[in-house]
Amino acid sequence: MPSSVPSFGELLGKCQRSAVHLEMRDSYALTERFEAWQRGERIDWADRESWWHPYDQLISETVARGVLIRRARIVSEPVSEYIRWEHYVTHANVTAGEQVRWLPRRLATGIALPGNDFWLFDDTLLRVHHFSGDGAVVEDEITDEPSVAELCRSAFETVWQLATAHEQFTV
């Protein structure tokens, strides 16, 4: 059955001011890219054509039209191997125009956090990610419920203020 949830590209295309993404898992479903990194393969960052993906292009175009895109990640320490890889590939996110920050989980105790990762578009529309225990996406949900959007907005902003910029965060 096809999803009734608009694609990420559609949602970002309608976004006018800001898109924020909060990630709170220490691992997600395994990918070929992660497995290649585990085998010691590294990206040639100088060869942009080899790693620039449609996602990166979408982010770049969205930032170019004035939308602020921020991503915050809450991570356990010491970080998982998956997070070390994510930190490594975040170079692509930053190059595309995202601002990225990292918050050690031990600093998040006093923050009222939602139960799921999410994207929040223009502070009003949420795309909530539901994952299985092994990190695979089960489904995405869209909501514009004001109280839920406000919880997510507030949580993201608090995490953002406490987090360390990608360029200064070491794993």
Side-chain angles (χ1 to χ4, degrees):
M1 181 164 99
S3 172
S4 61
V5 174
S7 73
F8 177 73
E10 290 174 78
L11 294 169
L12 205 53
K14 294 177 183 174
C15 194
Q16 297 176 0
R17 298 179 315 281
S18 67
V20 300
H21 187 35
L22 183 60
E23 297 178 4
M24 299 179 284
R25 297 180 55 94
D26 286 319
S27 68
Y28 294 86
L30 301 182
T31 66
E32 287 183 26
R33 291 174 59 209
F34 174 60
E35 291 169 348
W37 179 84
Q38 286 181 305
R39 291 189 304 270
E41 295 177 27
R42 295 300 180 258
I43 297 168
D44 178 359
W45 294 115
D47 180 13
R48 180 171 150 163
E49 200 169 295
S50 70
W51 57 266
W52 191 258
H53 293 98
Y55 173 85
D56 303 312
Q57 187 63 35
L58 175 62
I59 295 299
S60 179
E61 290 168 359
T62 304
V63 168
R65 62 181 177 80
V67 176
L68 176 64
I69 301 178
R70 297 181 294 158
R71 177 187 304 257
R73 293 180 171 132
I74 299 174
V75 297
S76 299
E77 292 180 306
V79 300
S80 67
E81 187 172 16
Y82 190 95
I83 294 299
R84 281 196 306 279
W85 171 74
E86 244 187 4
H87 187 270
Y88 173 73
V89 297
T90 295
H91 176 81
N93 299 79
V94 172
T95 300
E98 283 188 38
Q99 296 177 27
V100 180
R101 292 188 183 180
W102 302 79
L103 181 67
R105 193 172 309 282
R106 65 184 163 72
L107 300 178
T109 304
I111 305 171
L113 294 168
N116 298 293
D117 290 10
F118 63 84
W119 276 94
L120 178 62
F121 303 93
D122 291 332
D123 293 330
T124 59
L125 185 65
L126 274 167
R127 182 179 179 125
V128 180
H129 303 301
H130 298 286
F131 294 96
S132 64
D134 64 1
V137 175
V138 174
E139 69 176 333
D140 285 332
E141 168 190 4
I142 295 290
T143 182
D144 60 359
E145 171 61 40
S147 63
V148 177
E150 177 53 27
L151 167 69
C152 292
R153 187 205 62 74
S154 176
F156 181 88
E157 292 302 334
T158 302
V159 168
W160 190 258
Q161 292 306 312
L162 296 172
T164 301
H166 174 71
E167 297 76 16
Q168 281 79 49
F169 189 77
T170 56
V171 295

